[in-house]
Structures are given as C-alpha cells and as structure tokens.
Amino acid sequence: MVKPALHAAFVERLPRRPYCTDDPAQGLLIRSQATALAYRHIQHNPPPHVSCLVFDVDRPDGYEAWKEAGLPAPNWITFNTRNGHAHYGYYLAVPVARTSAAKQKPLRYLAAIEHVLAKRLGADMGYSGLITKNPVHGHWWTVWHHNEAFSLDYLAEFCPDAELAAYSRRSCKEVSGLGRNVTVFDNVREWAYSAVREHWRPNGYDGWANAVRAACDSANVFGLEQG
C-alpha cells in the first residue's frame, strides 16, 4: 500500500493548472490540478521553476537503468507495463528558477546535470520535460522509493567533471531539455542590450516587453528547428 505522503510529495510540486492528456499525440489540455490528476500524462513543473527532474527511459528494461548507471534511486519510477519504458522523477531540494528574471548560473548548472544524467541513464535526449507519465494514475505501474529531495551538488557528484565541462561548450543546435531555457536567454540578451534604447520613452515598457517576448519566441523556434 502506497503511503499518502508519497503521493502528496508529487502533487504539492505540480502547477495549479497543469497541462494534461491521456494521449500526447492528441494534444494537451489545461485543467485544474484536481482534474488534471485524472489524466495519464501531466505537467510536473510549474512554468517559473524546476522542482523535479524527469528522465524518459525508452527501453524494455527501463527500471534497471538507474542501477546500471550507479545513480541514486529516484523518488519514483513510472512504468508502461506493456513495453517496460519508464519515467524517473528526482525531486530537487531547492527549486531552480527559469524565468527571464532568474539567475542563469543555477539554471546552467541544472541543465548540465540533467544532460549528463540523461546520458548515463540512456534516456531520450529529445524529451522536452514538459509532461510525464502521471505516477498517481492507475494506468501506470509506479514504484515509489522515497521522498528525500536532492541538492544539485549531490547530483553533480554522479556527473564526471569532464562531461559537465563538455556540456557547457555545446552549440545551440545540440541543446535539449532545460538547456533550451539557457540558449534562449543567451541568444536574446545580446540583442536586448542595444534594442532597449528604442523604447527609452514614456510608456515604452509595454512595447519593450512585447518586443522581448517576440524575440524569445523567435529564438526558441529557431533552436527547435535546428535541433
């Protein structure tokens, strides 16, 4: 019998109105948290921050990947019983902000850790990290290990320094997952330093904000097309 506290630790990290769906191929819905929990797939991180790392292990022996890689047990593993594919969830002790106002150093650090751990697990490097197999839904077989959250420094102990350093040298078209946030920031900020001068006038903020959003959208689409 699963202890309610194990479910609660997952639910308390969810957005208030998460994306959800029973079939990702049919598109995503936005629903209240209570309603979204009835769907097979659900958004696990709120837009402003990352509080849970999820890895998509698409292979028949998905459960064994963390053991084979010598990694700590994830908080939960959700399986597709038909093919053995799994999602791993690792809670973060301190959520990492990913808004435009966030400090980029912690996000870069997290993106590098995510990338290296995904490689060690043999996880899908193209996984966007937006939605996960809902571990509290009965359609999946979920193994709950514990509720202990992980610090970034502890997770980094399982990432060779050379691999973390190599990630920081990757080009825009090689990034995936959380690296997208970092890449969009880098692509837009140099433009923004000079473009802001065109909006230095009374009531110019709204126009400036719209211009920045458009630049971010453009940079993100370019990165996806090049990936």
Side-chain angles (χ1 to χ4, degrees), residues 9-183:
F10 173 76
V11 173
E12 70 185 10
R13 289 171 168 79
L14 296 176
R16 288 182 296 177
R17 291 183 58 81
Y19 285 113
C20 56
T21 185
D22 278 333
D23 182 1
Q26 299 299 315
L28 302 178
L29 305 169
I30 297 177
R31 296 290 185 265
S32 68
Q33 188 183 100
T35 300
L37 284 166
Y39 286 83
R40 296 176 183 178
H41 303 265
I42 194 167
Q43 178 185 1
H44 48 282
N45 284 312
H49 64 258
V50 179
S51 62
C52 180
L53 283 179
V54 173
F55 299 96
D56 181 17
V57 184
D58 284 339
R59 66 191 214 199
D61 58 343
Y63 178 79
E64 301 297 329
W66 66 276
K67 298 179 182 179
E68 295 170 357
L71 300 184
N75 296 99
W76 47 265
I77 303 176
T78 306
F79 295 95
N80 183 331
T81 56
R82 293 178 299 173
N83 57 24
H85 296 183
H87 278 191
Y88 288 23
Y90 286 87
Y91 299 147
L92 299 183
V94 179
V96 177
R98 54 178 172 181
T99 65
S100 58
K103 295 180 180 179
Q104 290 298 297
K105 186 175 181 180
L107 186 57
R108 292 176 193 277
Y109 189 33
L110 178 59
I113 291 170
E114 178 196 53
H115 178 83
V116 175
L117 293 182
K119 285 187 65 178
R120 293 198 60 188
L121 287 167
D124 180 2
M125 304 304 290
Y127 171 60
S128 70
L130 178 61
I131 58 173
T132 186
K133 293 179 173 68
N134 183 355
V136 303
H137 194 285
H139 180 75
W140 314 109
W141 175 32
T142 300
V143 176
W144 301 88
H145 283 125
H146 58 87
N147 274 346
E148 297 298 320
F150 297 88
S151 71
L152 294 187
D153 286 342
Y154 178 73
L155 291 176
E157 292 180 11
F158 299 89
C159 304
D161 290 341
E163 293 185 30
L164 290 174
Y167 177 84
S168 68
R169 296 191 295 268
R170 294 168 67 86
S171 66
C172 171
K173 62 184 177 182
E174 294 176 305
V175 300
S176 60
L178 292 169
R180 291 270 184 229
N181 296 78
V182 176
T183 300

